[in-house]
Amino acid sequence: MSMSPQEIFEVASPAVSDPDATDQHVEAGQPITRGRLILRRFLRQKSGIAALVVLVLIFLLAYFGPYLTHWKFDDFDQTNILTGPDSNHFLGVDEVGRDVYARTLKGLQKSLVIGLVAALVTTSIAAVAGSIAGYFGGFIDITVVWIIDLLLVLPGFLILAILSPALAGKTWLWLVVLLAVFGWMVTGRVVRGMAMSLRERDYVHAAKFMGVPALTIIRRHLLPNMASLLIVDVTINVGGTILAETGLSFFGFGVQPPDVSMGTVLSDAQPLATTYPHVFMFGAGLLVLTVLCVSVIGDALRDAIDPSSGSSRL
Amino acid sequence: MLKFIARRFVNYLILVFIATSLAYILGSLTLDPRARYEGRNPPISEASLHASLQERNADPSTPVLTRYGHWIGGVVHGDFGKQIVGDEEVSTEIKRRAGVSLRLLLLGTIFGAVGGVLIGVLGAVRQRKPADVASTVASYVLLASPTVVVIVVVQTIFVWIYHKGGPLIPATGEYNSNLQGIEFWTDRAKRLIMPTMVLALFGISFFSRYQRSAMLDVLGSDFLRTARAKGLTRQRALFKHGVRTALIPIVTFFAYSFGLLLTGATFTEKLFGWHGMGEYLINSVQSHDVNAVAAVACFTAVLVLFSGLLSDILYAALDPRVRSK
């Protein structure tokens, strides 16, 4: 077996199967829609539900938690520097007098938004580029695969670090764009593989011979058939982009002050982490919990959509 | 076989060349070396500022492509230009730093891959037993943690061990130049523990997931049953036939994971105060040093593609079907 240059970073593409065929029980003549079937399978998994509940609580905490205290994320309380948690400052104060609780939640808000938006954009780029490459083949395919290979050669972190000076003074939406542009490659490969197999299906051939334009076929027949993969991918990418954003912002390459994100929160707290753990541990724990929940939900969702996928054995 | 490797090698060389060029051009467009000389007191005269930038091939008034042409001409001869600050050559600095990073990466990869494969196999063989559940939960948590958090947790644990009467392991620095002889080397080895552990933990959590999944696929296979039927013990059948087959897909992930490991190493170096290539990247982006940034990008690309080549060779070594063609 000779490996083509494209195959080096190949990720096993999930088989395109018909999920409804696996356990289709029709109750008393009432057909179950696909959506309800997936929902039912999702609800059957305790870990997925638990993670979903925790994630909802985290969202509520991030957006409503700040109203529980009168401290704002950029207030300074110089009289209580580095005090521990008490009723005034729920989680204590950092070394310049900022309230850890208010600041962490503010950072969490930004990280959650960036994670969600960037994951959506990432998967969209992957879906468009991958399906166009897979469907058309030939020159377009070679170009897209070549771009994917090139982008995989340099770690996204390095390219984003190089590009970061251009972010100074811009809105965080540019960071989202950059995270997506340098993060879609692996999904793009999987989508391309699926598009290549879907394009040989009878219904795609039928549409083609009826004269449906290629882009309409992609939109109407290819993408809906990959919807499950794409939904799972968005979920998994949320965790990945939150971590990537944290890493970049930690070194000042991501979210720029006065904006706050989990990266800047952890970066400010890290030097004190072993001596004043309360400054660091709350944010760190919250971040790990968020990403953990997202990945557990992603797994549960994948199992619900495609029970034959490997992760059901976990 | 040799032809296969050679073809891959040429392909990799082209990718390294393009990736490095891209990094240089992007860096020239975003970084502003001139800022390093401006705003000083007393101010630097325009003429000498211009001369300094010219000497470093970083004068913004020269078109990017001209600068690129000049730069690539030097790189072919192993000359990466001068650093923006100071009079040092970039290649001198790289010689100093590359070893630091390579030592960390090599140890982290070896411990991570070996540990991950062993734990993955164990998890698959003892599926749903306590050991498997524990390693699954641990790797999920680790994969959800930013490197910073893992580093702080590891440091906290070692501080705690020290307070309980354990040995003191310095958390920052690569060596202590005040020590000599045997003491110097034992101190140096001790300082290696924490950073290596952090990188290995990520490797283990990453590889063990894939190894476990690949191993589960293999466990139900016909050839394992045949191996048992012809009289091999369970252990021999598992290791001679099972693990070897399950390793094949993992080898492909090896190349892909290397980029992640490099990013992890950047944090590790920075937070443990090791003066390696990752720290160089952070510092040179912050100081707008185009030449240094491009050199680090080149180093990274070479490493990623070297790991790609290594995974090709491992692939061929494990799977006879590749060799026969």
Side-chain angles (χ1 to χ4, degrees):
Chain A
M1 188 186 134
S2 81
M3 280 191 14
S4 64
Q6 297 92 294
E7 277 176 74
I8 159 148
F9 295 112
E10 195 75 86
V11 172
S13 57
V16 186
S17 65
D18 181 11
D20 298 71
T22 44
D23 59 339
Q24 195 175 47
H25 28 205
V26 179
E27 283 166 2
Q30 206 181 21
I32 308 174
T33 61
R34 182 167 152 72
R36 292 194 50 183
L37 186 71
I38 290 173
L39 183 70
R40 185 189 290 177
R41 289 207 208 109
F42 183 80
L43 293 178
R44 220 184 282 158
Q45 290 165 306
K46 290 194 195 82
S47 58
I49 297 180
L52 191 63
V53 170
V54 175
L55 193 65
V56 169
L57 289 179
I58 289 174
F59 260 92
L60 291 177
L61 180 67
Y63 283 93
F64 295 106
Y67 295 111
L68 296 179
T69 174
H70 64 277
W71 295 105
K72 294 274 166 291
F73 76 98
D74 48 0
D75 281 350
F76 291 90
D77 179 4
Q78 265 99 347
T79 54
N80 281 318
I81 283 174
L82 284 173
T83 51
D86 56 32
S87 58
N88 183 18
H89 296 282
F90 296 152
L91 292 160
V93 183
D94 71 3
E95 82 281 18
V96 286
R98 291 171 299 199
D99 186 72
V100 175
Y101 174 81
R103 210 170 137 69
T104 307
L105 293 189
K106 181 76 181 173
L108 190 62
Q109 286 179 9
K110 182 114 298 161
S111 283
L112 286 172
V113 170
I114 291 182
L116 274 179
V117 180
L120 276 173
V121 181
T122 306
T123 307
S124 310
I125 297 178
V128 172
S131 56
I132 286 179
Y135 181 78
F136 287 106
F139 178 70
I140 297 177
D141 186 37
I142 293 173
T143 316
V144 170
V145 168
W146 196 80
I147 293 173
I148 290 178
D149 273 346
L150 188 64
L151 289 180
L152 278 172
V153 171
L154 289 175
F157 179 82
L158 191 142
I159 303 185
L160 289 172
I162 294 176
L163 289 175
S164 66
L167 281 176
K170 304 255 170 58
T171 103
W172 53 270
L173 282 169
W174 281 107
L175 178 64
V176 169
V177 172
L178 287 182
L179 279 173
V181 166
F182 294 101
W184 60 276
M185 293 84 72
V186 176
T187 317
R189 270 189 175 292
V190 179
V191 171
R192 170 179 167 266
M194 291 182 81
M196 281 164 77
S197 91
L198 282 172
R199 111 185 133 177
E200 303 303 329
R201 294 294 176 93
D202 287 340
Y203 55 83
V204 176
H205 282 308
K208 200 168 163 186
F209 297 142
M210 275 188 275
V212 181
L215 288 177
T216 314
I217 293 182
I218 290 177
R219 185 164 47 81
R220 205 185 279 162
H221 298 292
L222 294 197
L223 290 180
N225 272 297
M226 296 180 222
S228 55
L229 170 89
L230 297 178
I231 292 168
V232 172
D233 190 67
V234 171
T235 323
I236 290 170
N237 278 340
V238 171
T241 42
I242 289 179
L243 288 183
E245 181 275 324
T246 307
L248 287 167
S249 302
F250 186 85
F251 289 123
F253 299 151
V255 168
Q256 304 290 331
D259 260 356
V260 188
S261 86
M262 286 317 284
T264 55
V265 169
L266 292 185
S267 165
D268 290 344
Q270 183 268 328
L272 297 165
T274 41
T275 38
Y276 294 93
H278 71 265
V279 180
F280 184 81
M281 286 306 170
F282 175 62
L286 210 53
L287 182 63
V288 173
L289 196 63
T290 310
V291 179
L292 189 62
C293 285
V294 169
S295 69
V296 172
I297 292 173
D299 278 352
L301 208 56
R302 177 167 48 208
D303 287 351
I305 288 171
D306 179 11
S308 59
S309 72
S311 66
S312 57
R313 296 174 310 201
L314 292 174
Chain B
M1 180 60 206
L2 265 179
K3 215 175 127 194
F4 166 70
I5 301 280
R7 210 177 54 220
R8 305 285 295 163
F9 185 72
V10 171
N11 185 36
Y12 285 145
L13 271 185
I14 296 170
L15 277 176
V16 168
F17 175 76
I18 295 170
T20 313
S21 307
L22 202 70
Y24 182 85
I25 292 172
L26 284 180
S28 312
L29 292 175
T30 56
L31 301 174
D32 179 19
R34 204 187 149 90
R36 292 297 296 175
Y37 293 94
E38 282 171 343
R40 289 194 188 177
N41 196 12
I44 301 173
S45 73
E46 185 60 33
S48 79
L49 197 157
H50 191 73
S52 286
L53 286 172
Q54 276 283 305
E55 190 193 0
R56 287 161 179 81
N57 188 33
D59 190 352
S61 57
T62 323
V64 172
L65 285 179
T66 318
R67 274 183 274 159
Y68 168 71
H70 191 263
W71 177 78
I72 204 79
V75 169
V76 174
H77 299 103
D79 171 22
F80 284 94
K82 263 187 181 177
Q83 294 191 108
I84 298 298
V85 186
D87 230 9
E88 196 94 67
E89 293 280 331
V90 171
S91 42
T92 325
E93 187 71 21
I94 293 222
K95 264 180 221 146
R96 221 175 277 151
R97 287 172 177 271
V100 177
S101 285
L102 285 176
R103 179 159 8 124
L104 208 56
L105 284 168
L106 201 67
L107 285 174
T109 313
I110 291 173
F111 283 118
V114 172
V117 165
L118 287 179
I119 289 177
V121 169
L122 193 81
V125 175
R126 304 248 158 92
Q127 202 189 350
R128 298 214 176 89
K129 299 264 169 61
D132 178 35
V133 175
S135 72
T136 302
V137 171
S139 56
Y140 261 81
V141 173
L142 271 172
L143 287 177
S145 312
T147 324
V148 199
V149 175
V150 176
I151 291 174
V152 167
V153 169
V154 167
Q155 284 177 341
T156 312
I157 291 173
F158 275 90
V159 168
W160 181 79
I161 291 177
Y162 173 65
H163 282 304
K164 290 282 161 198
L168 172 68
I169 295 176
T172 50
E174 192 203 339
Y175 55 85
N176 183 352
S177 50
N178 292 328
L179 299 175
Q180 300 207 330
I182 282 286
E183 256 182 36
F184 174 80
W185 289 103
T186 47
D187 175 74
R188 202 166 172 170
K190 267 198 228 162
R191 286 165 189 265
L192 203 59
I193 296 175
M194 273 196 260
T196 311
M197 203 164 142
V198 169
L199 283 187
L201 276 175
F202 276 105
I204 289 174
S205 55
F206 185 82
F207 285 115
S208 69
R209 298 317 306 148
Y210 289 111
Q211 180 68 32
R212 180 179 178 277
S213 157
M215 196 67 198
L216 280 176
D217 286 338
V218 168
L219 277 181
S221 62
D222 288 341
F223 63 81
L224 262 193
R225 199 184 47 196
T226 310
R228 290 299 303 280
K230 79 174 188 191
L232 287 187
T233 61
R234 184 172 148 81
Q235 234 168 6
R236 278 196 72 118
L238 270 182
F239 277 91
K240 268 200 92 167
H241 298 276
V243 176
R244 179 173 171 170
T245 316
L247 270 176
I248 294 173
I250 309 303
V251 160
T252 322
F253 278 108
F254 177 74
Y256 172 64
S257 73
F258 205 73
L260 291 173
L261 194 72
L262 278 169
T263 313
T266 307
F267 283 87
T268 317
E269 283 170 13
K270 192 77 186 165
L271 293 183
F272 282 106
W274 285 46
H275 304 301
M277 297 297 284
E279 191 208 45
Y280 198 33
L281 171 74
I282 307 290
N283 292 350
S284 47
V285 171
Q286 281 166 352
S287 64
H288 292 274
D289 194 332
V290 183
N291 294 338
V293 165
V296 177
C298 181
F299 176 81
T300 313
V302 168
L303 276 190
V304 168
L305 296 177
F306 183 74
S307 74
L309 198 64
L310 188 67
S311 95
D312 283 348
I313 294 172
L314 284 175
Y315 203 107
L318 286 167
D319 191 345
R321 286 170 300 182
V322 181
R323 262 173 296 171
S324 60
K325 284 211 175 170

